[in-house]
Amino acid sequence: SFEMDTIYDGTNSIIVLNMTENRVKGIIPKEIGAALKDLKILDLGQNMLTGTIPSTLGDATDLSTLYLGDNALTGTIPSSLGKLTKCTHLYVDRNNLQGPLPNELSNLSEITMLGLHQNTLTGAIPDLSAMKKLRALYLDSNELSGELPTSIGELSALIDLRLGSNEITGTIPTELGNLESLRDLHIQRNRLSGSLPLSFAGMKNLREFHAYSNKITGKIPVQIGFLGFFSQLKILYLDGNELTGTIPPSVANMKDLVDLYLGNNNLEGPIPTTIYRLSSLKNLRLNDNELTGTIPVEFDKLSQLEYLYLQNCRLEGAIPNELGVLNKLFRLRLYGNALSGTMPRGVCHLRGLHLEELQVDCEGVSPAIECTCCTTCF
């Protein structure tokens, strides 16, 4: 390793300075911006840099790429970075930066990738609608607060939007539905409330929607899966909210779905038998709801299923023998229901394949479920 200030030679002819993963220590020299005016790419990521981001970096106005991520930088994001109007990639993630996001960042009209995640940034998200070329916005794992600005819906080039693990409040803006190119939307672990906007039907290319651990209320829209509404979705995480009503049968129209997490809500009614049409499904988690009725025998069609969590609901009847054909099943949790009878032999045979966890109400002298192959009895 070596000190950062030892690499500065006072010249101004360097165009690319890449020192990533070199155990560089010390501070970023304040002279670097003015002295290296021809610099186009500066990569100091994954080092051991300390101190603050010098405001003079804003003088390196030819910079197109600035990577300062994964260091130990402190202080605030200097507003002078807003002068980097040619910058397309700006990453200062995984540091110890704090304070608000400078409004001047909105001047970065050429920016396509902006990574400010995993810091302790505070305050509201400013209006970034001038970033018309922005494709990826990473603000997750900070302490940002306030409501989501409706202007995010004007970022028409956006493909990846990550705002999870903050303290954002208010409702989900309907304007997000304007983001037709969006593929990944992460708003989990915030304090968002209100219902899921029907305007989300406009996000026809969405592949992943992470909204778990919020305070989202209302019903799952019956339009889901129709006319582009989540029809290309692979990941749907809505667990840990306050959703009510039933699971609409139209969820089966999301034919590419791999993960469906609806646990820890207030959903009621039967499990729709149409779920069997989700032939790519690997994770189905409906646990900790008010679901009633029986476990659908049609689950035997879910040949790719690895995790089935139905615990702590109000399901009744026998455990279907049909589950015994799910030979990729890894974890099966059925406890905390009103199920009865004997664990089917076919399910027990799965213990000799991949099934490592089988949990039901089989505790006591007269258990609700007779089971000789379960890993845990409740």
Side-chain angles (χ1 to χ4, degrees), residues 329-345:
L329 207 57
F330 182 68
R331 290 181 179 172
L332 177 59
R333 298 179 180 177
L334 302 175
Y335 61 86
N337 283 288
L339 300 170
S340 59
T342 302
M343 181 63 66
R345 183 177 301 176

Side-chain angles (χ1 to χ4, degrees), residues 196 209-213 220 224 233-241 243 247 251 254 257-265 267 275 278 281-287 289 291 305-309 331 333:
L196 294 172
F209 181 37
H210 300 239
Y212 60 88
S213 298
I220 299 173
I224 200 168
L233 211 62
K234 294 180 180 293
I235 306 292
L236 178 56
Y237 294 156
L238 290 174
D239 47 313
N241 281 288
L243 295 171
I247 301 173
V251 296
M254 297 184 286
L257 211 58
V258 175
D259 289 357
L260 176 57
Y261 287 22
L262 300 177
N264 292 99
N265 280 287
L267 298 170
I275 285 181
L278 299 175
L281 202 63
K282 292 184 178 181
N283 279 284
L284 178 58
R285 307 192 183 195
L286 308 178
N287 54 286
N289 279 292
L291 299 174
L305 202 62
E306 297 175 2
Y307 296 84
L308 179 57
Y309 290 4
R331 290 181 179 172
R333 298 179 180 177

